Amino acid sequence: MNRGAKESVPDGTTVVRKAVRSARLQVQPDGTLRVVAPPSFDIGGFLQRNTAWIEKRREELDRLAAEGRGKEDLLLLHGRFHRLVPGARFAIDEIPGTVACPSVPALKRSLSRMLKEEVLDRLEACPDLAGRRPGRIAVKMQKTRWGSCSTLGNLNINLRVVALPDPLREYVVVHEAAHLREQNHSKRFWRLVGDRYPGYRAAEAELRRYWIILERNRVWGTLRDTR
C-alpha cells in the first residue's frame, strides 16, 4: 500500500498503526471501530472479512444499551434518568425526576461529594470485610474501571458509580473493600466478595450493561470531559 495514500476505511473507524504481530479489532461501546494493526496491513480487507462479527457485536451492544435509548440527554443518577434544570444550587427532586444545578462543573463537584460521602458510609458499615482502613479515598472519572485499590490501600471510585442503582453501588464498594485484603482476583478474593454480596456474578453483568449505557449518554460524556 502507498503509505502516502489515505486509507479507505468506514467512517467511525480509528486506525492505530504500530509494531504488533497481528491486527486487533474492537467494537467500542458507541458502535465505532478501533483497529490496531502493523504498518501496511490491509485494514479494508480485514474489516470486510470480519463484517459478520462486527454486526453481531454491534447488535449485542445495542441490546445492552436499550434502556438508555432515547434518554441520552438525561442524567442517569441512582439508576433513574433525571432531567437537568437550572438552579442556584444542587438539588435532586425525585418526584418529577429533576436535578437542579447552576453549571456542569458544579454538578460534577456535587455528585463527587455525594458519592464520596456514600462510599465512606458504606465502608464504615463493613469493617470486617476490608480488614483495615483505606488510605485515601478519591472520586475520579476513570476511563475503563468502576474502581481501583492501590497497594497502599488508596481507593479510587469512578464518578459514574453514582449513576448506578443502590445494589450496584453497594457492590462496587464491597468489591474495592475486598481488595484491601486481597489485591488480586484470586479465589480467596471472590470468597470474600461472595460472603458479603452473594449475587456478585449478576452484579458484574449488570455493571457491563450500565457501562455501555453511560458510554452512550451525552450528559455523562459532558461530565467526563469537564474539568
Side-chain angles (χ1 to χ4, degrees), residues 80 82 92-98:
R80 290 187 56 197
H82 294 72
I92 303 170
D93 192 335
E94 294 290 359
I95 295 175
T98 61

Side-chain angles (χ1 to χ4, degrees), residues 133-161:
R133 292 182 63 84
R136 174 183 54 80
I137 299 174
V139 174
K140 299 181 177 181
M141 189 66 84
Q142 294 171 292
K143 292 183 177 180
T144 59
R145 295 187 286 186
W146 291 106
S148 60
C149 177
S150 74
T151 55
L152 297 176
N154 296 324
L155 297 184
N156 293 318
I157 304 296
N158 194 325
L159 179 58
R160 288 180 170 187
V161 171

Side-chain angles (χ1 to χ4, degrees), residues 18-191:
K18 59 194 307 184
V20 293
R21 296 184 64 179
S22 58
R24 298 195 301 272
L25 170 62
Q26 292 177 311
V27 181
Q28 305 289 74
D30 62 359
T32 59
L33 304 177
R34 185 176 188 270
V35 183
V36 179
S40 301
F41 183 82
D42 179 13
I43 301 292
F46 179 61
L47 294 178
Q48 282 189 338
R49 291 192 298 275
N50 286 278
T51 298
W53 180 84
I54 292 169
E55 290 307 310
K56 183 178 179 180
R57 285 289 295 136
R58 282 175 168 162
E59 288 173 4
E60 179 186 1
L61 292 172
D62 287 345
R63 177 178 55 79
L64 291 172
E67 186 181 346
R69 190 173 300 121
K71 303 173 185 176
E72 291 83 1
D73 292 313
L74 299 178
L75 173 70
L76 182 58
L77 176 63
H78 291 175
R80 290 187 56 197
F81 288 93
H82 294 72
R83 183 168 52 88
L84 291 177
V85 297
R89 61 183 181 84
F90 174 74
I92 303 170
D93 192 335
E94 294 290 359
I95 295 175
T98 61
V99 174
C101 60
S103 66
V104 174
L107 173 63
K108 189 172 185 177
R109 290 192 297 269
S110 296
L111 292 176
S112 297
R113 284 194 298 268
M114 185 170 69
L115 179 58
K116 186 171 182 178
E117 290 173 4
E118 180 182 349
V119 170
L120 287 168
D121 289 343
R122 290 188 185 276
L123 286 172
E124 288 180 3
C126 56
D128 54 322
L129 172 64
R132 58 172 169 145
R133 292 182 63 84
R136 174 183 54 80
I137 299 174
V139 174
K140 299 181 177 181
M141 189 66 84
Q142 294 171 292
K143 292 183 177 180
T144 59
R145 295 187 286 186
W146 291 106
S148 60
C149 177
S150 74
T151 55
L152 297 176
N154 296 324
L155 297 184
N156 293 318
I157 304 296
N158 194 325
L159 179 58
R160 288 180 170 187
V161 171
V162 81
L164 302 172
D166 183 78
L168 291 182
R169 299 199 307 279
E170 178 188 1
Y171 171 66
V172 171
V173 175
V174 167
H175 186 111
E176 298 309 326
H179 276 311
L180 290 168
R181 283 193 174 183
E182 297 291 332
Q183 282 288 311
N184 54 29
H185 289 103
S186 63
K187 289 183 179 179
R188 184 160 28 174
F189 168 82
W190 288 115
R191 279 198 299 270

